[in-house]
Amino acid sequence: MSPIFLQELDVDFLHAQFAHHPPTIWALLAAAVVAGGVVRGLTGFGAALLMAPLFSLVMSARDTLCLITVLNVLPLSPRSMRLAWQEMDASVVRPLSLAAVVGLVPGMLLTTQIPGAVFGPLVGFGVMLSALLLMTGARLPDIRSVRASAAIGSVSGVLTGFSGVGGPPAILYLMGIEPNPYRARANFVIFFALLYPVSCAFLVLSGLMPHSILLAGALLFPLFHIGGGLGVRLYRNIGRRLLRRLVLMLLLIAGAVAMLPFLRDPAGFMKTISVHG
């Protein structure tokens, strides 16, 4: 790594990011990374839903997307990946994943059109709505088909490319068509394990991925991995009902935090939307 590159990183991230926010903010983000790992280890999904609203408090839409993507690139556990690969329903996961990959590019193009002041509350609202739907026990009817998988995958791909938070449509679909909770979790694990590496590659090749975010991801991934290990252990010992409630409460809190700018100044938020609409 050249001295010029190190200097560039220092200016772009260590100064431009850390210097503008107090240590308490970055302590909150580190805690969010650990909590995101725990949620992913518990359920096979949900890390992005938890982290995106909190990251958006201090990062732009692009940087939030990139950091979430980098953190989710690697599997938390090779063993859990092997087990998930054996248990997944390939007839559903394959078309879902292929369509999601196609949807990534138009989703990424949207990140250049949405202002940062709007991004956080929108993500927060989406997270809260998704959590409330899941909390009611909402399940889609069993519409299992290649066409349905492709349609849901496309929507998830666009949302993943836009914000790194593409889980809710795929999660609701997979929960609706798969009565076996172990296989449903395996489907979640494999779907996101395939989607995020491709998304990261697209971001790097398109030039949207800042070097500073790659560095931040490398620094934060150990925390994410530790949280994931804790989540896997909890998954083996906590009852499913209690587990589900804990995860959804975390998502509601994270979404509410991200919506604070809107709650404090609804008129200003709507004016921002109208200006960029």
Side-chain angles (χ1 to χ4, degrees), residues 81-155:
M81 279 293 295
R82 288 195 299 270
L83 293 175
W85 195 267
Q86 295 169 2
E87 294 175 356
M88 73 163 180
D89 185 344
S91 65
V92 172
V93 174
R94 284 174 182 167
L96 191 74
S97 301
L98 287 173
V101 167
V102 173
L104 285 172
V105 174
M108 289 176 185
L109 293 177
L110 288 176
T111 62
T112 62
Q113 306 299 319
I114 305 296
V118 174
F119 174 75
L122 286 179
V123 171
F125 176 76
V127 167
M128 291 186 71
L129 181 61
S130 301
L132 288 171
L133 285 172
L134 292 171
M135 197 171 279
T136 64
R139 292 167 63 95
L140 292 175
D142 191 344
I143 54 173
R144 182 193 311 259
S145 69
V146 172
R147 183 176 296 179
S149 295
I152 298 296
S154 297
V155 175

Side-chain angles (χ1 to χ4, degrees), residues 5 38 40 55 64 83 94 102 112 121 136 145 182 210 225 251 267:
F5 180 67
V38 171
R40 183 179 172 188
F55 286 178
T64 296
L83 293 175
R94 284 174 182 167
V102 173
T112 62
T136 64
S145 69
Y182 294 104
H225 186 79
L251 297 179

Side-chain angles (χ1 to χ4, degrees), residues 52-206:
L54 300 176
F55 286 178
S56 68
L57 293 175
V58 293
M59 292 182 176
S60 67
R62 185 193 68 172
D63 287 354
T64 296
L65 160 66
C66 290
L67 185 54
I68 286 174
T69 302
V70 169
L71 289 173
N72 282 280
V73 161
L74 297 177
L76 293 175
S77 166
R79 180 175 179 273
S80 65
M81 279 293 295
R82 288 195 299 270
L83 293 175
W85 195 267
Q86 295 169 2
E87 294 175 356
M88 73 163 180
D89 185 344
S91 65
V92 172
V93 174
R94 284 174 182 167
L96 191 74
S97 301
L98 287 173
V101 167
V102 173
L104 285 172
V105 174
M108 289 176 185
L109 293 177
L110 288 176
T111 62
T112 62
Q113 306 299 319
I114 305 296
V118 174
F119 174 75
L122 286 179
V123 171
F125 176 76
V127 167
M128 291 186 71
L129 181 61
S130 301
L132 288 171
L133 285 172
L134 292 171
M135 197 171 279
T136 64
R139 292 167 63 95
L140 292 175
D142 191 344
I143 54 173
R144 182 193 311 259
S145 69
V146 172
R147 183 176 296 179
S149 295
I152 298 296
S154 297
V155 175
S156 287
V158 170
L159 290 175
T160 299
F162 167 61
S163 65
V165 185
I171 292 163
L172 287 171
Y173 174 64
L174 292 172
M175 288 175 65
I177 67 174
E178 183 50 70
N180 184 325
Y182 294 104
R183 179 169 289 179
R185 182 178 182 277
N187 289 340
F188 299 151
V189 169
I190 297 302
F191 173 66
F192 292 112
L194 294 173
L195 184 59
Y196 277 112
V198 177
S199 178
C200 187
F202 282 2
L203 288 169
V204 171
L205 292 174
S206 65

Side-chain angles (χ1 to χ4, degrees), residues 9-60:
L9 287 176
D10 188 51
V11 172
D12 287 348
F13 188 74
L14 300 179
H15 175 72
Q17 295 288 348
F18 283 105
H20 290 288
H21 302 289
T24 51
I25 290 293
W26 297 105
L28 173 66
L29 295 185
V33 169
V34 175
V38 171
V39 170
R40 183 179 172 188
L42 277 168
T43 65
F45 71 94
L49 284 171
L50 179 63
M51 294 187 297
L54 300 176
F55 286 178
S56 68
L57 293 175
V58 293
M59 292 182 176
S60 67

Side-chain angles (χ1 to χ4, degrees), residues 170-250:
I171 292 163
L172 287 171
Y173 174 64
L174 292 172
M175 288 175 65
I177 67 174
E178 183 50 70
N180 184 325
Y182 294 104
R183 179 169 289 179
R185 182 178 182 277
N187 289 340
F188 299 151
V189 169
I190 297 302
F191 173 66
F192 292 112
L194 294 173
L195 184 59
Y196 277 112
V198 177
S199 178
C200 187
F202 282 2
L203 288 169
V204 171
L205 292 174
S206 65
L208 290 173
M209 176 73 75
H211 292 152
S212 55
I213 294 299
L214 290 173
L215 173 64
L219 293 174
L220 291 171
F221 184 78
L223 294 177
F224 190 64
H225 186 79
I226 289 170
L230 292 173
V232 171
R233 290 184 182 181
L234 289 173
Y235 169 72
R236 296 168 184 164
N237 297 295
I238 290 182
R240 288 192 187 88
R241 288 188 178 181
L242 177 58
L243 166 63
R244 181 185 180 89
R245 290 173 184 171
L246 288 173
V247 170
L248 294 177
M249 285 303 298
L250 283 172

